């Protein structure tokens, strides 16, 4: 998307301002379908930092995510947690992951998350 969808930017701004992590969203970015809940960037960074801190091999990277964001203007990225990449009837990873997607790269989106089944 050459120009970010203004409505999607407004949704992201509401998530950021309300500090809510309950907005379910599904997006298509680079041909990949990602479904999950949006989180405020600060909460997303904190959770990624916690996961990295608990890792014996990746703990050194946790500090990068502890840096507060200093951004003026509207949000530029969506921060998903408990999210999955949909591949056919499979959601990867099964437990949900943490994804950051540039709003300008979203080619399609819908409110809500998609479920998947092997039935």
């Amino acid at each position: 998307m050459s120009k970010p969808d203004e409505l999607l930017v407004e949704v992201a701004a509401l998530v950021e301002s309300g500090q809510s992590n309950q907005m379910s969203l599904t997006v298509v970015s680079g041909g990949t379908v990602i479904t999950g809940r949006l989180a405020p960037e600060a909460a997303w960074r904190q959770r990624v930092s916690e996961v990295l801190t608990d890792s014996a091999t990746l703990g050194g990277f946790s500090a990068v995510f502890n840096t507060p964001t200093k951004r003026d203007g509207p949000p530029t990225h969506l921060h998903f947690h408990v999210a999955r990449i949909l591949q056919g009837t499979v959601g990867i990873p099964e437990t949900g992951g943490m994804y950051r997607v540039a709003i300008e790269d979203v080619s399609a989106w819908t409110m809500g998350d998609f479920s998947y089944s092997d039935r």
Side-chain angles (χ1 to χ4, degrees):
M1 190 177 278
S2 59
K3 183 178 182 222
D5 183 315
E6 292 176 17
L7 187 55
L8 185 56
V9 171
E10 286 184 43
V11 168
L14 282 172
V15 169
E16 287 294 328
S17 68
Q19 299 297 301
S20 169
N21 64 357
Q22 298 303 308
M23 174 55 70
S24 294
L25 190 74
T26 298
V27 300
V28 178
S29 179
T32 302
V33 178
I34 300 173
T35 190
R37 283 187 290 168
L38 292 179
E41 183 175 358
W44 183 88
R45 284 175 170 261
Q46 178 182 357
R47 181 64 185 131
V48 171
S49 177
E50 291 168 359
V51 169
L52 292 172
T53 298
D54 292 342
S55 170
T57 57
L58 300 175
F61 290 96
S62 67
V64 171
F65 293 90
N66 283 328
T67 307
T69 58
K70 297 176 186 172
R71 185 179 338 260
D72 292 332
T76 58
H77 290 76
L78 302 171
H79 296 86
F80 285 91
H81 73 114
V82 194
R84 294 175 177 87
I85 295 173
L86 298 183
Q87 178 71 31
T89 60
V90 177
I92 306 167
E94 287 184 20
T95 57
M98 306 290 286
Y99 298 103
R100 176 177 159 113
V101 177
I103 294 173
E104 69 181 13
D105 292 339
V106 173
S107 58
W109 61 278
T110 188
M111 303 306 292
D113 58 351
F114 283 96
S115 60
Y116 46 88
S117 170
D118 60 357
R119 297 179 189 147

